[in-house]
């Protein structure tokens, strides 16, 4: 529960149709197993106490009475369990039958939520048995000791975790044009649980998964979907136990169908609340809801969900290629419009042989293709200085020639030496003045060439550098249009690699691959033995770490402690905790102190969900204090979990799974022996 995480479970017991006593035992077994795994929210399928497929047996008084008794016994058992449990059953009230979800916690039945939308088409005929549920809660007497509210407008909230409010949908509710979950979320629900008995037909699983994903995205919520499986009647249909856990559009966990697999994951409630705070269009409802509170223990939630170490880069090759193609076109279209609007005769790009300038030149060439302009009107300028190496110089020249741009070479050495003499800078002192003097000289050259050619300077700096302030103010920091301004360094690499893979030019592809293999460097210090001596990541830290930090700071507004925890999981085996802590502190220090550079950035296209433009995503004062964040960074190790977060199943859970298997095998053997003996008679 610390850091906003709460573990949830979607659980599918193997039921026997119309046997509440048997089903109660299976439900309790799964509750115990889920509790041992640390689950605080446990969701079972629709009508699981009786089985969904009872048909006209739902009319039987005996079945309804035993179902209610099973519910009361499960509730009594829950006194030993730390968590809230949702189970389904048929319930009679005022001579009408309702398909309800019962919320159970700490020995109590907190409330009953009836199904709103009753399907009566194709293979479904629920209206034959059930009545659509009431919205406003009404009291329902289960026995002398239990009078429980029943209605769809009930939200279940944890006293120890104010961000957790749970609304309930039941199966068909999700498949309708106006699911009740919409109203629940607008009333404050951050999690929707769905007790379902969705039968399986070809292709339905894809649609079901898209529904759960899109509902969680549209409502900015966690969504736990538990469906009926093996054990239900197969008279006309088959149930696959397709369980799903989603968060804000992302499927965190999906069960293997047809084996009654129980699944677990963790919902990040802090992330959901931050996203809702950010969205000014996220409506709030004034419809009155009843709040049903429950208690859970405050403790660390061990994380089993995947923490992506590269949040800006899609994992699959197909998605990555699509993302690169899309971003490349956004960059090129942005520049195309700016060139059209200003009637520029040329575009001027400084080419160093490094990643960023390479991408900027590729984007510029694409923009010229879209404008049907000759690449000769792209003025590509190399400006060798004190730190330029043969490798980067040769790559720059080859790149320019491969793209058919106009090559210009202007050495900055003599001009910088004159400048150093004028300001009294010792050339042997390799301080910040030594470095920045070269960067500003290069920018001056580009600006003046652009004036002379009637063109504009295309900026090359990327978002990761801007976040860290790794740019010389009024040097490489400045341009007339920054095509890379919202592209993180980790994604720059993939964009260049994508172009190398798809350009169809052998020589250009070779050059691009060598650029990818070259260490990132501003090349402002003299080389050592002809090789780059100044490696950026040795100075400011690995860009893959900084891009991870950047995403979680700006996109999800996480605290330093939470980012540190997530980074340790994401980069386990790559960076140790001390290294992550060191560069996280560097990130925060530089991020706050360098905002003044971002406050006057040139225009540039936004390509993703994170950007640092002062006119768009980051309205941050240049003199904002960082004391709160730096103070928390000094206390990163307080309240750390004693055990390491991992996706491994605990030994208790393994044992529970093995005993369950043994029990099922034993039951099958006993049933088979009985049937065989009956047959022989």
């Amino acid at each position: 529960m610390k850091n906003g995480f709460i573990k949830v479970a979607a659980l599918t017991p193997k039921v026997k149709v119309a046997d509440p006593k048997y089903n109660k035992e299976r439900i309790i077994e799964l509750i115990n197993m889920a509790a041992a795994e640390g689950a605080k929210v446990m969701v079972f399928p629709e009508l699981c106490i009786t089985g969904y497929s009872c048909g006209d047996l739902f009319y039987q008084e005996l079945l309804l009475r035993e179902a209610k008794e099973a519910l009361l016994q499960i509730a009594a058992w829950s006194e030993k369990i730390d968590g809230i449990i949702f189970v389904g059953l048929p319930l009679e009230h005022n001579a009408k039958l309702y398909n309800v979800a019962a919320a159970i916690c700490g020995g109590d039945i907190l409330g009953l939520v009836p199904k709103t939308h009753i399907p009566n088409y194709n293979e479904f005929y629920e209206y034959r048995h059930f009545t659509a549920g009431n919205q406003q809660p009404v009291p329902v007497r289960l026995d002398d000791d239990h009078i429980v509210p029943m209605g769809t407008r009930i939200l279940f909230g944890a006293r120890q975790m104010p961000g957790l409010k749970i609304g309930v949908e039941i199966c068909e509710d999700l498949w309708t044009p106006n699911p009740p979950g919409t109203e629940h979320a607008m009333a404050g629900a951050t999690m929707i649980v769905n007790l379902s008995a969705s039968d399986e037909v070809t292709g339905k699983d894809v649609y079901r998964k898209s529904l759960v994903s899109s509902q969680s995205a549209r409502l900015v919520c966690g969504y736990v979907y538990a469906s009926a499986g093996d054990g239900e009647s197969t008279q006309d249909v088959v149930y696959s136990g397709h369980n799903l856990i989603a968060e804000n559009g992302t499927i965190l966990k999906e069960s293997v169908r047809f084996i009654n697999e129980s699944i677990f994951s963790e919902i990040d409630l802090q992330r959901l609340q931050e996203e809702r705070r950010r969205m000014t269009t996220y409506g709030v409802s004034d419809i009155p809801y009843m709040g049903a509170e429950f208690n859970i223990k405050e403790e660390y939630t061990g994380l089993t969900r995947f923490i992506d170490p590269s949040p800006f880069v899609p994992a699959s090759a197909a998605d990555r290629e699509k993302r690169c193609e899309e971003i490349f076109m956004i960059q090129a279209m942005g520049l195309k419009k700016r060139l059209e609007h200003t009637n520029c005769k040329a575009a001027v790009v400084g080419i160093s042989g490094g990643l960023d300038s390479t991408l900027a030149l590729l984007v510029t060439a694409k923009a010229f293709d879209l404008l049907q302009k000759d690449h000769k009107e792209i003025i590509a300028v190399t400006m060798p200085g004190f730190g330029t190496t043969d490798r980067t110089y040769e790559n720059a020249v080859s790149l320019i020639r491969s793209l058919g741009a106009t090559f210009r070479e202007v050495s900055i050495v003599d001009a910088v030496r004159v400048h150093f003499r004028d300001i009294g800078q010792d050339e042997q002192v390799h301080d910040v003045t030594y470095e920045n003097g070269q960067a500003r000289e290069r920018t001056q050259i580009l600006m003046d060439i652009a004036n002379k050619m009637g063109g504009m300077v295309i900026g090359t700096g990327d978002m990761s550098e801007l976040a860290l302030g790794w740019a010389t103010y009024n040097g490489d920091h400045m341009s007339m249009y920054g095509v890379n301004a919202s592209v993180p360094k980790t994604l720059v690499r993939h964009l260049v690699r994508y172009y190398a893979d798809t350009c169809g030019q052998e020589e250009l592809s070779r050059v691009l691959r060598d650029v990818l293999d070259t260490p990132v460097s501003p090349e402002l210090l003299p080389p050592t033995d002809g090789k780059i001596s100044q490696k950026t990541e040795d100075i400011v830290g690995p860009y893959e770490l900084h891009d991870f930090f950047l995403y979680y700071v700006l996109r999800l507004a996480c605290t330093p402690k939470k980012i540190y925890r997530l980074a340790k999981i994401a980069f386990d085996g790559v960076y140790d905790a001390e290294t992550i802590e060191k560069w996280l502190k560097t990130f925060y220090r530089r991020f706050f102190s360098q905002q003044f550079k971002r406050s006057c950035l040139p225009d540039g296209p936004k390509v993703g969900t994170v950007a640092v433009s002062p006119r768009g995503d980051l309205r941050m004062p240049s003199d904002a204090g960082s004391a709160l964040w730096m103070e928390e960074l000094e206390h990163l190790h307080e309240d750390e979990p004693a055990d390491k977060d991992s996706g491994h199943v605990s030994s208790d859970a393994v044992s529970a799974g093995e005993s369950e298997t043994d029990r099922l095998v034993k039951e099958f053997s006993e049933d088979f022996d009985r049937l065989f003996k009956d047959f022989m008679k």
Side-chain angles (χ1 to χ4, degrees):
M1 291 164 58
K2 295 291 179 69
N3 306 128
F5 290 106
I6 187 163
K7 187 179 287 290
V8 300
L11 308 159
T12 300
K14 182 168 184 177
V15 300
K16 287 186 177 180
V17 178
D19 192 342
K21 291 181 179 178
Y22 174 88
N23 297 339
K24 173 200 67 178
E25 295 301 324
R26 304 293 78 76
I27 290 168
I28 287 175
E29 285 177 0
L30 287 182
I31 289 172
N32 291 338
M33 185 269 288
E37 288 294 302
K40 303 299 184 185
V41 179
M42 309 172 203
V43 186
F44 286 85
E46 178 181 15
L47 297 170
C48 61
I49 288 179
T50 58
Y52 175 81
S53 48
C54 290
D56 283 357
L57 294 178
F58 284 126
Y59 293 137
Q60 296 293 315
E61 170 66 23
L62 180 59
L63 180 67
L64 299 179
R65 190 175 68 225
E66 287 300 321
K68 187 189 299 184
E69 180 60 29
L71 171 65
L72 294 171
Q73 290 177 22
I74 294 169
W77 181 267
S78 74
E79 188 173 6
K80 309 172 183 178
I81 303 299
D82 182 39
I84 185 169
I85 304 154
F86 294 89
V87 295
L89 74 156
L91 185 76
E92 183 182 12
H93 177 61
N94 287 341
K96 291 295 180 182
L97 192 59
Y98 296 90
N99 178 345
V100 305
I104 299 167
C105 183
D108 293 327
I109 301 171
L110 305 178
L112 303 165
V113 179
K115 190 170 184 174
T116 299
H117 299 282
I118 310 298
N120 222 55
Y121 60 90
N122 295 342
E123 66 267 37
F124 303 108
Y125 48 91
E126 283 188 39
Y127 257 133
R128 182 177 176 88
H129 310 112
F130 296 105
T131 299
N134 52 294
Q135 292 181 321
Q136 292 303 330
V138 297
V140 173
R141 180 183 291 277
L142 298 179
D143 64 8
D144 291 341
D145 298 321
H146 295 88
I147 299 176
V148 181
M150 182 178 78
T152 61
R153 290 177 177 166
I154 304 176
L155 294 185
F156 302 92
R159 292 184 179 90
Q160 295 78 8
M161 202 171 195
L164 176 61
K165 292 184 179 179
I166 305 172
V168 179
E169 292 182 333
I170 300 178
C171 198
E172 185 73 12
D173 290 345
L174 173 63
W175 301 66
T176 62
N178 186 23
T182 303
E183 191 177 272
H184 299 340
M186 293 177 67
T190 52
M191 186 184 299
I192 306 295
V193 299
N194 188 312
L195 291 72
S196 179
S198 181
D199 63 307
E200 206 62 63
V201 294
T202 301
K204 191 175 181 181
D205 63 312
V206 177
Y207 186 58
R208 185 187 298 117
K209 185 176 178 180
S210 71
L211 277 177
V212 170
S213 173
S214 61
Q215 181 78 329
S216 72
R218 193 166 55 85
L219 302 184
V220 190
C221 69
Y223 204 100
V224 186
Y225 184 96
S227 192
D230 184 24
E232 291 286 357
S233 172
T234 59
Q235 181 173 346
D236 289 302
V237 294
V238 169
Y239 301 86
S240 70
H242 190 198
N243 296 335
L244 298 157
I245 299 172
E247 175 189 289
N248 196 22
T250 300
I251 299 293
L252 300 178
K253 195 66 69 71
E254 177 180 10
S255 69
V256 177
R257 293 181 296 154
F258 304 110
I259 65 170
N260 286 19
E261 181 187 17
S262 296
I263 58 173
F264 301 83
S265 192
E266 301 79 39
I267 303 292
D268 187 348
L269 297 173
Q270 283 183 357
R271 175 193 178 187
L272 299 173
Q273 290 175 293
E274 149 61 20
E275 191 69 13
R276 289 185 181 185
R277 284 196 298 267
R278 186 192 303 268
M279 294 175 61
T280 58
T281 54
Y282 196 97
V284 177
S285 171
D286 58 0
I287 296 173
Y289 264 69
M290 175 182 175
E293 292 190 328
F294 60 95
N295 292 308
I296 50 177
K297 294 178 183 176
E298 281 193 275
E299 57 191 15
Y300 261 100
T301 300
L303 299 183
T304 61
R305 56 187 278 168
F306 175 65
I307 308 299
D308 193 344
S310 302
F312 291 112
V313 181
S316 78
D319 289 344
R320 197 160 54 243
E321 183 172 332
K322 182 177 183 295
R323 178 77 58 86
C324 288
E325 180 182 4
E326 185 178 36
I327 290 174
F328 194 73
M329 283 303 298
I330 291 172
Q331 292 176 279
M333 288 297 291
L335 180 57
K336 170 182 174 289
K337 170 61 178 176
R338 183 53 54 93
L339 291 169
E340 282 180 319
H341 178 73
T342 55
N343 294 312
C344 277
K345 297 177 182 177
V348 179
V349 191
I351 305 300
S352 67
L355 274 173
D356 292 342
S357 65
T358 295
L359 177 59
L361 183 58
L362 296 173
V363 169
T364 304
K366 181 64 175 179
F368 270 57
D369 291 342
L370 295 171
L371 290 167
Q372 297 182 332
K373 290 171 69 74
D374 192 334
H375 285 194
K376 291 295 183 185
E377 296 173 31
I378 302 172
I379 314 301
V381 187
T382 64
M383 295 166 284
F386 303 125
T388 304
T389 61
D390 291 343
R391 180 181 185 181
T392 55
Y393 174 80
E394 290 168 4
N395 279 340
V397 174
S398 298
L399 177 65
I400 294 166
R401 289 176 176 163
S402 295
L403 290 169
T406 296
F407 173 74
R408 290 283 300 270
E409 180 175 331
V410 181
S411 172
I412 66 169
V413 173
D414 291 342
V416 170
R417 280 179 171 150
V418 170
H419 180 59
F420 284 171
R421 184 194 65 199
D422 291 343
I423 66 171
Q425 171 69 23
D426 185 346
E427 187 180 326
Q428 301 307 312
V429 177
H430 297 166
D431 58 7
V432 68
T433 305
Y434 176 86
E435 295 185 33
N436 287 349
Q438 298 174 69
R440 292 194 179 100
E441 179 61 31
R442 285 177 170 140
T443 300
Q444 174 181 257
I445 290 169
L446 295 174
M447 291 288 182
D448 291 344
I449 290 176
N451 288 159
K452 187 177 180 63
M453 302 300 296
M456 67 163 54
V457 177
I458 310 304
T460 62
D462 64 58
M463 182 169 65
S464 305
E465 293 177 342
L466 293 171
L468 294 167
W470 189 251
T472 299
Y473 193 87
N474 206 33
D476 53 308
H477 157 261
M478 192 48 59
S479 67
M480 295 166 183
Y481 195 76
V483 293
N484 296 338
S486 65
V487 183
K489 183 75 80 177
T490 48
L491 198 50
V492 170
R493 287 191 171 277
H494 287 282
L495 286 162
V496 173
R497 184 172 287 111
Y498 160 77
Y499 201 94
D501 292 341
T502 60
C503 67
Q505 300 178 48
E506 186 176 343
E507 174 59 18
L508 178 56
S509 180
R510 182 198 66 77
V511 174
L512 294 177
R513 294 185 191 285
D514 196 60
V515 170
L516 286 163
D517 289 338
T518 304
V520 177
S521 172
E523 291 195 318
L524 297 172
L525 297 180
T528 302
D529 297 328
K531 296 183 179 180
I532 292 172
S533 63
Q534 184 185 25
K535 297 179 181 178
T536 298
E537 291 182 290
D538 291 344
I539 303 168
V540 296
Y543 275 117
E544 61 181 342
L545 279 178
H546 286 307
D547 282 358
F548 184 90
F549 302 152
L550 177 63
Y551 180 84
Y552 280 94
V553 168
L554 290 188
R555 182 66 184 87
L556 303 182
C558 292
T559 64
K561 280 188 177 181
K562 185 171 183 177
I563 295 172
Y564 175 64
R565 180 186 182 190
L566 296 177
K568 286 194 297 179
I569 299 171
F571 293 98
D572 184 34
V574 180
Y575 299 106
D576 59 29
E578 291 75 19
T579 301
I580 292 170
E581 180 178 351
K582 171 187 174 181
W583 296 122
L584 181 59
K585 289 178 177 179
T586 296
F587 177 88
Y588 272 103
R589 184 178 66 254
R590 294 191 67 96
F591 180 76
F592 274 92
S593 67
Q594 301 294 298
Q595 172 62 15
F596 73 98
K597 295 180 182 177
R598 299 187 291 268
S599 290
C600 56
L601 283 180
D603 291 352
K606 177 180 177 178
V607 303
T609 56
V610 177
V612 294
S613 168
R615 297 166 296 277
D617 291 64
L618 188 58
R619 309 294 180 89
M620 175 178 167
S622 297
D623 47 9
S626 61
L628 284 176
W629 290 266
M630 300 310 292
E631 182 178 355
E632 180 159 305
L633 285 165
E634 294 304 319
H635 299 87
L636 286 179
H637 305 291
E638 292 180 3
D639 303 320
E640 278 192 296
D643 57 330
K644 182 180 178 182
D645 292 322
S646 77
H648 297 297
V649 179
S650 70
S651 56
D652 290 343
V654 172
S655 299
E658 290 172 349
S659 62
E660 171 71 359
T661 301
D662 292 342
R663 183 188 59 74
L664 291 173
V665 170
K666 181 181 178 182
E667 282 189 2
F668 176 79
S669 299
E670 291 172 351
D671 289 344
F672 182 82
D673 289 343
R674 178 177 52 78
L675 289 170
F676 182 74
K677 289 175 182 177
D678 290 343
F679 175 75
M680 292 301 292
K681 288 179 182 178

